[in-house]
Amino acid sequence: MKFSLTLSALAASTAVTALYIPEPAVRQRLYTVELAPGETQQVTEDQKWELLAQGKHFIDITDYQHIDSRRVAVAKVAFPADITQQGAVKPLLTKLSADNMNKNLQKYTSFNNRYYKSATGKEASEWLLSQVHGIISGAGGNSTRVAASVDPFPHSWLQSSIIATIPGKSSKTIIVGAHLDSINLRNPTFGRAPGADDNGSGSMTILETFKALLSDPTVASGQAPNTIEFQWYAGEEAGLLGSQAIFAQYKKDGRDVKAMLNQDMTGFVKGTLEAGQKEVLGVVTDNVDKNLTAFIKKVIAAYCAIPAIDTRCGYACSDHASANRNGYPSAFVIESAMEYSSELIHGTTDTIDTVNFEHMVEHAKMALGFVYELGFAQGL
Ligand SMILES: *[C@@H]1O[C@H](CO)[C@@H](O)[C@H](O)[C@H]1NC(C)=O
Ligand SMILES: *[C@@H]1O[C@H](CO)[C@@H](O)[C@H](O)[C@H]1NC(C)=O
Ligand SMILES: *[C@@H]1O[C@H](CO)[C@@H](O)[C@H](O)[C@H]1NC(C)=O
């Protein structure tokens, strides 16, 4: 999530920033960022972090200026009117483990940071890839031939995105995604950025969802009607870089993506509770596909123990914007109403003790219901 630092944090940051001295050529390179459809600016990398610190969301469209955001035609998809897969989904929900997510997030937050151009950002991506490999090789027992596979999606920078595919009987594709990087805005390359909530939580939520889904023999053996993908994006914080590279490639390849659900920041509940409100799932209603979003509310009502609340997050606030910009219907569900989401992100204090794992289980239930219902939907 792109958010603002507090003013005091900004003031405190000045001395630390001086430690981060990139090569002059890197420092002066200009990027084109889009802050609203059609509204662009040329900025240096340092200026990107200033925008983030001011709470300004942007897409780095340097490599994708041929797309006019104001003229994107998003595919019209007729999502199912009803939830129909309860019989199969409910037993899978019991396999989602808060303890497992806790254990994985502990490891994930132990990398100094997961910055997209740092050595530890690369290592974190490789660790996550090995976890997905482990889940695939452990799935299915002896009886099911597991059709799933996973590959890194390399970029021009150090950190790779990751794509796990569970082929179905058709190439119609349902995607759930989360970004895998984290950032310390005051010192991106070397600063500590545990990124527990932002967005370690989303990454681990969908990893756990993937594991539970693969325990279903029909899905694991490639017999679902549609193809299901789990994607972890590099370089979200620098302007949705990894997700743009993937969705631009998919568009070029004519891939038939029917729906994308973004999971980013799934574990912070304290803000909501301290405001005297009840725990909820924050369904983003701006810059998303309205019909897909309406369908996701049905998924939440059918499978989650807590209700949905409508919230808004602004243009380019996370990776679903990359799907949308390439013509694919997308949606975003976050941990709470935006005003109560974590303010600790993008620095040293986004730590694992601020994360509520039972809340992450509710996100995972939604993600599982989403991929299963749409994975088995006929006539999308
Ligand atoms: C976390 O993910 C959300 C949604 O994908 C995104 O808006 C936000 O910028 C991410 N936060 C960070 C620190 O990357
Ligand atoms: C959303 O659903 C309505 C009613 O089914 C339909 O008329 C409309 O075209 C759909 N919009 C999109 C963008 O698919
Ligand atoms: C897998 O195969 C081994 C050896 O044939 C057998 O002992 C074990 O019970 C099998 N496990 C499952 C889950 O079928």
Side-chain angles (χ1 to χ4, degrees):
M1 196 54 108
K2 300 184 181 59
F3 264 148
S4 53
L5 290 173
T6 60
L7 284 178
S8 60
L10 268 181
S13 74
T14 320
V16 184
T17 310
L19 293 175
Y20 171 60
I21 307 169
E23 296 298 314
V26 172
R27 201 155 203 162
Q28 281 154 27
R29 187 180 159 191
L30 286 177
Y31 301 86
T32 303
V33 299
E34 184 175 60
L35 294 113
E39 184 192 327
T40 61
Q41 270 181 28
Q42 299 277 310
V43 297
T44 63
E45 188 153 278
D46 284 352
Q47 286 168 335
K48 279 191 185 180
W49 312 140
E50 283 165 26
L51 284 172
L52 279 187
Q54 292 162 15
K56 293 193 179 150
H57 305 168
F58 58 84
I59 312 185
D60 178 341
I61 60 164
T62 308
D63 294 337
Y64 308 100
Q65 299 191 45
H66 55 286
I67 300 172
D68 183 342
S69 299
R70 293 160 300 187
R71 288 189 179 74
V72 170
V74 175
K76 286 200 168 193
V77 177
F79 297 105
D82 300 305
I83 299 300
T84 59
Q85 303 295 320
Q86 284 100 330
V89 173
K90 290 214 164 141
L92 298 181
L93 298 182
T94 64
K95 298 178 191 279
L96 296 167
S97 157
D99 286 347
N100 219 10
M101 288 196 274
N102 189 335
K103 187 175 70 95
N104 286 335
L105 191 57
Q106 282 186 27
K107 172 66 185 178
Y108 205 49
T109 53
S110 73
F111 295 96
N112 182 48
N113 60 48
R114 301 188 302 275
Y115 183 57
Y116 76 118
K117 295 195 286 192
S118 76
T120 54
K122 176 173 186 281
E123 285 163 25
S125 169
E126 288 166 354
W127 176 80
L128 182 53
L129 179 65
S130 74
Q131 297 306 296
V132 180
H133 269 302
I135 289 173
I136 292 172
S137 53
N142 304 352
S143 48
T144 311
R145 193 189 67 84
V146 176
S149 62
V150 63
D151 289 296
F153 186 100
H155 300 287
S156 57
W157 56 86
L158 214 46
Q159 181 181 64
S160 292
S161 296
I162 296 172
I163 301 178
T165 306
I166 313 174
K169 291 180 185 165
S170 81
S171 59
K172 295 173 185 175
T173 301
I174 312 303
I175 296 172
V176 60
H179 75 86
L180 57 78
D181 59 322
S182 75
I183 193 167
N184 179 327
L185 280 183
R186 295 168 221 162
N187 183 356
T189 307
F190 300 112
R192 173 77 178 125
D197 189 41
D198 190 3
N199 273 304
S201 57
S203 287
M204 297 304 109
T205 295
I206 73 168
L207 184 66
E208 187 68 12
T209 305
F210 180 67
K211 186 175 182 193
L213 183 64
L214 273 193
S215 71
D216 181 290
T218 311
V219 174
S221 60
Q223 298 305 305
N226 303 319
T227 293
I228 300 171
E229 288 190 0
F230 286 70
Q231 302 186 337
W232 290 265
Y233 308 114
E236 187 260 4
E237 301 292 357
L240 317 184
L241 294 174
S243 57
Q244 273 192 103
I246 290 173
F247 286 108
Q249 185 67 45
Y250 278 26
K251 186 180 178 187
K252 200 169 151 212
D253 295 347
R255 290 285 309 267
D256 189 12
V257 176
K258 296 298 186 185
M260 183 269 188
L261 169 64
N262 183 25
Q263 288 286 270
D264 181 358
M265 301 173 69
T266 63
F268 187 78
V269 187
K270 204 160 149 253
T272 305
L273 300 181
E274 282 178 354
Q277 311 277 323
K278 288 217 160 69
E279 187 179 341
V280 290
L281 294 168
V283 177
V284 170
T285 57
D286 58 331
N287 302 295
V288 294
D289 185 279
K290 300 259 179 293
N291 291 356
L292 179 59
T293 299
F295 174 74
I296 287 171
K297 287 186 186 172
K298 293 179 190 170
V299 170
I300 292 173
Y303 295 123
C304 298
I306 54 176
I309 193 171
D310 286 355
T311 193
R312 299 172 67 82
C313 101
Y315 187 67
C317 77
S318 190
D319 292 303
H320 55 288
S322 296
N324 184 72
R325 202 164 183 274
N326 285 284
Y328 298 125
S330 66
F332 179 27
V333 180
I334 187 170
E335 59 207 6
S336 64
M338 284 309 283
E339 60 269 38
Y340 303 131
S341 66
S342 182
E343 292 177 341
L344 308 171
I345 62 176
H346 299 169
T348 57
T349 57
D350 182 5
T351 49
I352 195 162
D353 56 295
T354 69
V355 166
N356 180 320
F357 291 95
E358 295 303 332
H359 191 72
M360 284 171 63
V361 169
E362 294 303 318
H363 274 270
K365 287 180 183 173
M366 172 194 55
L368 192 46
F370 167 84
V371 288
Y372 209 100
E373 292 288 339
L374 293 184
F376 282 78
Q378 305 283 353
L380 282 184

